[in-house]
Amino acid sequence: MRTILSLLIAALLLSAGLSRAESCKGPADKKATAETRKLFNKIKELRTQGIMFGHQDDLAYGIGWIYPNGSSDVLKVTGDYPAVFGWDLGHLETGSAHNLDSVPFNTMKELARQVYSRGGINQFSWHCNNPLTGGSTWDVSNPGTVKSILEGGEKHQVFISWLDKVADFLGGLRDENGRQIPVLFRPYHEFDGGWFWWGKPYCSNDEYKQLYQFTFDYLVKVRKIHNLIFVFSNTDLFTGTDQYLERYPGNEYADIIGFDTYQDPKTPNETFTAGLRTKLEILESAAKQTGKIPALTEIGYEQIPYPSWWTEVLWASIKDYSISYALLWRNAANRPNHYYMPYPGQQSEKDFIELYKLPRTLFGNDLKKTGEK
Ligand code: BMA
């Protein structure tokens, strides 16, 4: 009798867990616009078809060119655009006309509009300056920075004025018909590392959660910006689900969960693949537990020194996982040898085309066919 009873209780608990995950049907913002809901559903639907490929600053510059005379290194190599386009808001908070990588914010707005009109997806990260010291996003000299911007902190008002700029910019993104464009927002990323002022050594788990929650509440509830899908992203330093979720702000605050990872030239391909697969197992289990969408929010191998890296290493590592997208980092026009996508003539170009041709790798043209814009 006792066994039957415990089985019954276990079944009930399981179904409660499942329905909790299943109930995460819409975005965390309950008042998300119709277009934002469509984007959210499109992202979910595309996961059944494959993995989307993304590129940071893809339309702004590449190897040997800078907008406005530009195009896209991915387009030059494959004849198609990426599916996801990464942008960064760093320096918007200072009132600067261009971001920390010299992309003019007006240009960024226009390019984001072009992406959306082609059916692509825009993601915004924020390499935000240090509001306490006035230094850069990498200024970790004062471990009290996060505390200083939370409610009651000496820089709270300064920080709110920065969030206002983010709200104005993201809320102000418009398509050609004047309708707000839905986008992914990925603030305070790689928080388990020690290189950004919001990193693990400089604030408690609780302070980090408060920062993320405050940001969500301020943008969504105070500023009433309802075109955002929130992305929570670690680095690859976690070794288990509990650790992965240790700074997770809660199901009411995130839509996509992911992590950033890069291959180091000192790491052999097999080691990188094995490590990445282990992390993806953990991410998938965290995604099941939370009911959220898993993604590789940044990935790459600087200069892609191995010609078949795309099919033999990257695709071999990720193909068995149901992640939504993998975003490759930027092809810097202003920093020599800092590139993560092939360009015409680069040694991994041919293999990237092979990757592109695989049925389950999704690029710009695949998104046009799916869902409504
Ligand atoms: C880093 C590098 C930097 C850049 C920063 C923000 O990974 O690419 O050159 O300024 O991202 O985009």
Side-chain angles (χ1 to χ4, degrees), residues 56-57 88 100-101 127 138 262 298 329-330 335 338:
Q56 185 74 7
D57 282 347
D88 197 273
L100 81 168
D101 298 319
H127 282 81
W138 294 282
Y262 287 91
E298 278 182 39
W329 205 240
R330 63 198 198 102
R335 194 172 144 186
H338 188 56

Side-chain angles (χ1 to χ4, degrees), residues 27 30 40 43 47 53 58 66 74 77 86 95 101 106 124 164 188 194 217 227 268 278 288 306 326 331-333 368:
K30 299 286 166 263
F40 184 81
I43 290 172
R47 250 180 97 198
F53 278 77
D58 184 78
I66 298 184
V74 173
V77 166
D101 298 319
N106 284 340
F124 289 85
D164 277 331
Y188 323 123
D217 287 339
N227 61 328
T278 306
K288 271 203 191 94
Y306 183 64
N331 280 10
K368 281 189 199 148

Side-chain angles (χ1 to χ4, degrees), residues 283-303:
L283 178 66
E284 285 208 331
S285 114
K288 271 203 191 94
Q289 194 178 315
T290 55
K292 301 297 172 179
I293 302 167
L296 261 173
T297 40
E298 278 182 39
I299 186 158
Y301 194 177
E302 195 179 43
Q303 295 181 58

Side-chain angles (χ1 to χ4, degrees), residues 158-193:
V158 171
F159 191 60
I160 285 187
S161 72
W162 289 12
L163 286 178
D164 277 331
K165 295 198 169 92
V166 171
D168 292 343
F169 183 86
L170 294 180
L173 293 167
R174 292 283 185 278
D175 70 10
E176 53 279 8
N177 302 317
R179 294 188 73 90
Q180 215 177 25
I181 297 176
V183 297
L184 275 46
F185 182 42
R186 185 174 75 105
Y188 323 123
H189 65 302
E190 300 181 3
F191 50 78
D192 50 340

Side-chain angles (χ1 to χ4, degrees), residues 103-323:
V103 183
F105 286 111
N106 284 340
T107 302
M108 201 184 281
K109 266 193 177 166
E110 169 53 28
L111 295 175
R113 176 182 306 151
Q114 290 176 17
V115 166
Y116 184 63
S117 72
R118 282 196 301 266
I121 297 173
N122 291 291
Q123 177 194 260
F124 289 85
S125 49
W126 187 18
H127 282 81
C128 172
N129 271 3
N130 185 315
L132 180 57
T133 65
S136 79
T137 192
W138 294 282
D139 179 358
V140 294
S141 59
N142 194 324
T145 303
V146 171
K147 200 172 176 18
S148 80
I149 60 177
L150 294 175
E151 280 170 294
E154 56 172 305
K155 294 291 177 185
H156 186 57
Q157 288 310 323
V158 171
F159 191 60
I160 285 187
S161 72
W162 289 12
L163 286 178
D164 277 331
K165 295 198 169 92
V166 171
D168 292 343
F169 183 86
L170 294 180
L173 293 167
R174 292 283 185 278
D175 70 10
E176 53 279 8
N177 302 317
R179 294 188 73 90
Q180 215 177 25
I181 297 176
V183 297
L184 275 46
F185 182 42
R186 185 174 75 105
Y188 323 123
H189 65 302
E190 300 181 3
F191 50 78
D192 50 340
W195 43 90
F196 296 130
W197 54 258
W198 56 83
K200 189 164 174 150
Y202 321 115
C203 60
S204 67
N205 292 344
D206 202 45
E207 283 166 348
Y208 181 84
K209 288 182 197 173
Q210 284 181 46
L211 172 65
Y212 202 102
Q213 292 165 350
F214 181 82
T215 301
F216 181 103
D217 287 339
Y218 189 74
L219 296 177
V220 171
K221 295 179 188 159
V222 178
R223 290 295 313 265
K224 305 195 188 327
I225 304 296
H226 296 301
N227 61 328
L228 305 180
I229 288 181
F230 284 80
V231 185
F232 165 81
S233 89
N234 262 297
T235 65
D236 58 4
L237 297 169
F238 55 89
T239 53
T241 315
D242 288 351
Q243 194 187 355
Y244 176 82
L245 290 172
E246 114 197 322
R247 296 192 157 211
Y248 182 60
N251 285 347
E252 320 85 275
Y253 293 95
D255 298 300
I256 295 176
I257 62 171
F259 64 90
D260 295 0
T261 189
Y262 287 91
Q263 183 165 351
D264 186 285
K266 289 193 285 295
T267 308
N269 290 339
E270 303 71 38
T271 315
F272 178 74
T273 297
L276 183 49
R277 289 178 67 92
T278 306
K279 308 283 164 184
L280 288 168
E281 301 278 343
I282 297 169
L283 178 66
E284 285 208 331
S285 114
K288 271 203 191 94
Q289 194 178 315
T290 55
K292 301 297 172 179
I293 302 167
L296 261 173
T297 40
E298 278 182 39
I299 186 158
Y301 194 177
E302 195 179 43
Q303 295 181 58
I304 323 126
Y306 183 64
S308 320
W309 189 74
W310 300 104
T311 55
E312 284 181 26
V313 183
L314 180 63
W315 188 244
S317 312
I318 69 179
K319 68 178 172 39
D320 299 327
Y321 300 93
S322 148
I323 51 174

